[in-house]
Amino acid sequence: MQRTLLFFLCVWIFVSCEGVFTTSLVEWAQRDPSQLSRSQKINFAQEALASGDKDSMKKAYEALKDTSDPSLQPLAAELAVGAAGVKDALATVLGKVAAGSTEEEIKSALQEAFESFSDADLTLITEAATLLASAESGGGTITADQYFITGVGLLVVALKDANGDVNQIDTSSGTGQMAIDLLTKAKDQFAPDSEAAKLLNDFSGYF
């Protein structure tokens, strides 16, 4: 369990999955996901996530984003951050967190990654956080990695609010506070004395 965080922090490498779902995704892409049945939407969403293809994740997200089902909202949130490219853009940040790098190194990596996000990407991240909040209020189940990756994404949104200065991120209110809240919830899913909890606690404390 102590190494679980390292598993989902290490960039979520999808190389082994790429190509496995290619034919299926092409078939899905030829249809309008919004017209699919509930089970078909879920299948499309899972295959899009497994492929790591941003366009497929965006299309699957569009089909699920308006769901009021708390059991599906975390999946929709994961699609949103995937379509925003959070895992790819923040690969260095995530790797440094997993490696227990210094505060300066992690902040520097976040600052560098910030430039790769568009306004549309930041909107998707914000929508993901809203979906997780809705899922929570409805009793949905949210995983540690869903909390974590959305929380890290929100730090990027908060960085924009800070005019791109990583040392000026405000975590006492607004988006920055929401980011830390999600990171804390990710941490709380691990045993207090676990390596995962320690890494997340240190990371949150940098902001």
Side-chain angles (χ1 to χ4, degrees), residues 114-204:
F114 169 69
E115 300 299 331
S116 68
F117 289 94
S118 67
D119 287 342
D121 293 332
L122 301 184
T123 296
L124 283 170
I125 295 168
T126 302
E127 290 175 359
T130 300
L131 283 163
L132 290 189
S134 296
E136 282 184 330
S137 63
T141 300
I142 303 170
T143 65
D145 57 330
Q146 287 169 338
Y147 275 130
F148 175 78
I149 198 65
T150 306
V152 174
L154 280 181
L155 281 178
V156 177
V157 179
L159 182 51
K160 181 184 179 182
D161 295 340
N163 296 316
D165 186 344
V166 72
N167 292 307
Q168 296 301 317
I169 293 177
D170 180 8
T171 58
S172 65
S173 62
T175 304
Q177 185 178 51
M178 290 171 58
I180 299 302
D181 180 56
L182 293 182
L183 292 171
T184 300
K185 288 174 179 176
K187 180 199 70 174
D188 290 345
Q189 294 201 21
F190 298 96
D193 59 348
S194 68
E195 182 178 353
K198 180 181 182 302
L199 286 170
L200 279 168
N201 188 64
D202 289 347
F203 178 62
S204 298

Side-chain angles (χ1 to χ4, degrees), residues 34-180:
S34 66
Q35 300 303 313
L36 300 174
S37 67
R38 183 181 187 277
S39 62
Q40 288 174 325
K41 288 179 182 179
I42 294 173
N43 286 339
F44 178 40
Q46 292 172 337
E47 293 190 3
L49 284 172
S51 75
D53 181 73
K54 290 175 60 176
D55 290 338
S56 295
M57 287 188 280
K58 180 65 163 59
K59 194 166 186 178
Y61 171 66
E62 291 296 331
L64 286 176
K65 69 177 184 179
D66 294 324
T67 182
S68 59
D69 185 343
S71 69
L72 287 183
Q73 287 169 331
L75 175 60
E78 193 170 356
L79 288 165
V81 294
V86 172
K87 296 176 183 178
D88 292 332
L90 296 176
T92 301
V93 178
L94 301 177
K96 288 186 179 297
V97 173
S101 298
T102 66
E103 175 179 350
E104 182 179 352
E105 290 172 327
I106 290 173
K107 283 187 172 181
S108 176
L110 182 66
Q111 185 91 52
E112 292 175 7
F114 169 69
E115 300 299 331
S116 68
F117 289 94
S118 67
D119 287 342
D121 293 332
L122 301 184
T123 296
L124 283 170
I125 295 168
T126 302
E127 290 175 359
T130 300
L131 283 163
L132 290 189
S134 296
E136 282 184 330
S137 63
T141 300
I142 303 170
T143 65
D145 57 330
Q146 287 169 338
Y147 275 130
F148 175 78
I149 198 65
T150 306
V152 174
L154 280 181
L155 281 178
V156 177
V157 179
L159 182 51
K160 181 184 179 182
D161 295 340
N163 296 316
D165 186 344
V166 72
N167 292 307
Q168 296 301 317
I169 293 177
D170 180 8
T171 58
S172 65
S173 62
T175 304
Q177 185 178 51
M178 290 171 58
I180 299 302

